[in-house]
PDB file of all heavy atoms in Angstrom:
ATOM      1  N   ALA A  19     147.360 -82.008   2.025  1.00  0.00           N
ATOM      2  CA  ALA A  19     147.356 -83.355   2.634  1.00  0.00           C
ATOM      3  C   ALA A  19     148.858 -83.859   2.612  1.00  0.00           C
ATOM      4  O   ALA A  19     149.615 -83.618   1.691  1.00  0.00           O
ATOM      5  CB  ALA A  19     146.543 -84.287   1.858  1.00  0.00           C
ATOM      6  N   LEU A  54     136.597 -72.456   3.417  1.00  0.00           N
ATOM      7  CA  LEU A  54     136.234 -71.299   2.649  1.00  0.00           C
ATOM      8  C   LEU A  54     135.050 -71.618   1.746  1.00  0.00           C
ATOM      9  O   LEU A  54     135.111 -72.462   0.866  1.00  0.00           O
ATOM     10  CB  LEU A  54     137.605 -71.035   1.726  1.00  0.00           C
ATOM     11  CG  LEU A  54     138.695 -70.866   2.587  1.00  0.00           C
ATOM     12  CD1 LEU A  54     139.924 -70.793   1.608  1.00  0.00           C
ATOM     13  CD2 LEU A  54     138.771 -69.627   3.531  1.00  0.00           C
ATOM     14  N   LEU A  56     132.035 -71.303  -0.894  1.00  0.00           N
ATOM     15  CA  LEU A  56     131.572 -70.698  -2.163  1.00  0.00           C
ATOM     16  C   LEU A  56     130.151 -70.982  -2.395  1.00  0.00           C
ATOM     17  O   LEU A  56     129.620 -70.651  -3.436  1.00  0.00           O
ATOM     18  CB  LEU A  56     132.461 -71.328  -3.339  1.00  0.00           C
ATOM     19  CG  LEU A  56     133.942 -71.101  -3.408  1.00  0.00           C
ATOM     20  CD1 LEU A  56     134.579 -71.755  -4.510  1.00  0.00           C
ATOM     21  CD2 LEU A  56     134.208 -69.568  -3.391  1.00  0.00           C
ATOM     22  N   LYS A 119     124.937 -80.935  -0.537  1.00  0.00           N
ATOM     23  CA  LYS A 119     123.736 -81.320  -1.286  1.00  0.00           C
ATOM     24  C   LYS A 119     123.878 -82.536  -2.158  1.00  0.00           C
ATOM     25  O   LYS A 119     123.396 -82.512  -3.270  1.00  0.00           O
ATOM     26  CB  LYS A 119     123.210 -80.136  -2.022  1.00  0.00           C
ATOM     27  CG  LYS A 119     122.730 -78.881  -1.038  1.00  0.00           C
ATOM     28  CD  LYS A 119     122.111 -77.882  -1.880  1.00  0.00           C
ATOM     29  CE  LYS A 119     121.672 -76.753  -0.917  1.00  0.00           C
ATOM     30  NZ  LYS A 119     122.773 -76.018  -0.247  1.00  0.00           N
ATOM     31  N   LEU A 161     117.996 -90.666   1.641  1.00  0.00           N
ATOM     32  CA  LEU A 161     117.616 -92.027   1.243  1.00  0.00           C
ATOM     33  C   LEU A 161     118.739 -92.792   0.616  1.00  0.00           C
ATOM     34  O   LEU A 161     118.759 -93.963   0.645  1.00  0.00           O
ATOM     35  CB  LEU A 161     116.390 -91.895   0.236  1.00  0.00           C
ATOM     36  CG  LEU A 161     115.110 -91.406   0.785  1.00  0.00           C
ATOM     37  CD1 LEU A 161     114.083 -91.297  -0.334  1.00  0.00           C
ATOM     38  CD2 LEU A 161     114.521 -92.403   1.868  1.00  0.00           C
ATOM     39  N   VAL A 187     120.479 -79.993   8.958  1.00  0.00           N
ATOM     40  CA  VAL A 187     119.058 -79.932   9.063  1.00  0.00           C
ATOM     41  C   VAL A 187     118.370 -78.874   8.246  1.00  0.00           C
ATOM     42  O   VAL A 187     117.243 -79.027   7.790  1.00  0.00           O
ATOM     43  CB  VAL A 187     118.526 -79.884  10.538  1.00  0.00           C
ATOM     44  CG1 VAL A 187     119.081 -81.054  11.400  1.00  0.00           C
ATOM     45  CG2 VAL A 187     119.008 -78.638  11.140  1.00  0.00           C
ATOM     46  N   LEU A 258     130.985 -79.172  12.814  1.00  0.00           N
ATOM     47  CA  LEU A 258     131.091 -77.911  12.039  1.00  0.00           C
ATOM     48  C   LEU A 258     130.709 -76.828  12.962  1.00  0.00           C
ATOM     49  O   LEU A 258     129.921 -76.861  13.933  1.00  0.00           O
ATOM     50  CB  LEU A 258     130.046 -78.056  10.922  1.00  0.00           C
ATOM     51  CG  LEU A 258     130.048 -79.286   9.946  1.00  0.00           C
ATOM     52  CD1 LEU A 258     128.966 -79.226   8.966  1.00  0.00           C
ATOM     53  CD2 LEU A 258     131.490 -79.297   9.255  1.00  0.00           C
ATOM     54  N   PRO A 308     135.858-105.333  22.593  1.00  0.00           N
ATOM     55  CA  PRO A 308     135.270-104.105  22.372  1.00  0.00           C
ATOM     56  C   PRO A 308     135.868-102.888  23.262  1.00  0.00           C
ATOM     57  O   PRO A 308     136.062-101.714  22.853  1.00  0.00           O
ATOM     58  CB  PRO A 308     133.838-104.237  22.513  1.00  0.00           C
ATOM     59  CG  PRO A 308     133.563-105.701  22.264  1.00  0.00           C
ATOM     60  CD  PRO A 308     134.789-106.415  22.846  1.00  0.00           C
ATOM     61  N   LEU A 324     147.275 -83.993  20.184  1.00  0.00           N
ATOM     62  CA  LEU A 324     148.371 -83.554  20.794  1.00  0.00           C
ATOM     63  C   LEU A 324     149.416 -83.247  19.804  1.00  0.00           C
ATOM     64  O   LEU A 324     150.140 -82.266  19.776  1.00  0.00           O
ATOM     65  CB  LEU A 324     148.874 -84.557  21.772  1.00  0.00           C
ATOM     66  CG  LEU A 324     148.022 -84.627  23.073  1.00  0.00           C
ATOM     67  CD1 LEU A 324     148.615 -85.880  23.958  1.00  0.00           C
ATOM     68  CD2 LEU A 324     148.041 -83.375  23.827  1.00  0.00           C
ATOM     69  N   LYS A 331     153.038 -75.138  17.188  1.00  0.00           N
ATOM     70  CA  LYS A 331     153.986 -74.338  17.868  1.00  0.00           C
ATOM     71  C   LYS A 331     155.273 -74.191  17.076  1.00  0.00           C
ATOM     72  O   LYS A 331     156.157 -73.316  17.380  1.00  0.00           O
ATOM     73  CB  LYS A 331     154.398 -75.062  19.166  1.00  0.00           C
ATOM     74  CG  LYS A 331     153.164 -75.059  20.129  1.00  0.00           C
ATOM     75  CD  LYS A 331     153.516 -75.742  21.432  1.00  0.00           C
ATOM     76  CE  LYS A 331     152.342 -75.949  22.387  1.00  0.00           C
ATOM     77  NZ  LYS A 331     152.705 -76.755  23.659  1.00  0.00           N
TER      78      LYS A 331
END
Side-chain angles (χ1 to χ4, degrees):
L54 306 166
L56 296 178
K119 297 182 178 66
L161 290 173
V187 300
L258 303 178
L324 290 174
K331 296 176 183 177

